Amino acid sequence: MAYELTGKIKLIQDPKTFDSGFTKREMVVIVEDGKYPQEINLEFVQDKTALLDDLQPGQEVTVTFDIRGREYNGRYFNNLQGWKVALQGSNSEEPPPPSAQDYPSPSDFDDDIPF
C-alpha cells in the first residue's frame, strides 16, 4: 500500500553502498503537523537513490512511499521506503502537452515528391 507526505526537505544524505552491493540513501522531510512539525526520515534503495540527485534542502516535495517492517532478535523495526518524489509547484513528472509550435507547418514540407 502506498502512502504520501508533503513537506520541505531538511537534508539529503550521500548514498551508502554496502559490501553486498546494496545501496541506500536517506532524506529528511519536515512535515507541518499543527504546533509541532515532524521530521520524517525516508530511505531510498538501489536505483531509487537517483531520485534525490537533483533535489536540494528547502524544496517542497511530495514523497510516495511504502512502510516496510521486519523483526531482528525479538525487536521490530519500521522503515519508510520512498519510490517517487514530485516537486511541489511544478509538474516535473509529466511533460507539457504539445503546442502548435511543436508540429511542422505545411510550408515546412517539400512539395516535390520523388515518386
Side-chain angles (χ1 to χ4, degrees), residues 18-33:
F18 300 89
D19 292 338
S20 65
F22 179 79
T23 302
K24 80 173 189 174
R25 191 171 186 187
E26 295 180 336
M27 172 174 70
V28 176
V29 177
I30 299 173
V31 177
E32 295 300 324
D33 187 24

Side-chain angles (χ1 to χ4, degrees), residues 63 71 98 110:
V63 181
E71 182 268 337
D110 188 5

Side-chain angles (χ1 to χ4, degrees), residues 41-87:
N41 185 60
L42 298 126
E43 72 176 19
F44 294 78
V45 298
Q46 300 301 83
D47 61 327
K48 299 299 182 189
T49 61
L51 294 173
L52 307 181
D53 287 347
D54 296 327
L55 299 176
Q56 301 292 323
Q59 290 179 311
E60 185 94 7
V61 292
T62 296
V63 181
T64 306
F65 63 94
D66 292 327
I67 299 174
R68 300 285 182 216
R70 67 188 183 290
E71 182 268 337
Y72 180 74
N73 289 339
R75 296 190 62 197
Y76 294 88
F77 299 89
N78 297 318
N79 292 41
L80 306 181
Q81 195 170 89
W83 50 270
K84 182 177 167 187
V85 180
L87 279 172

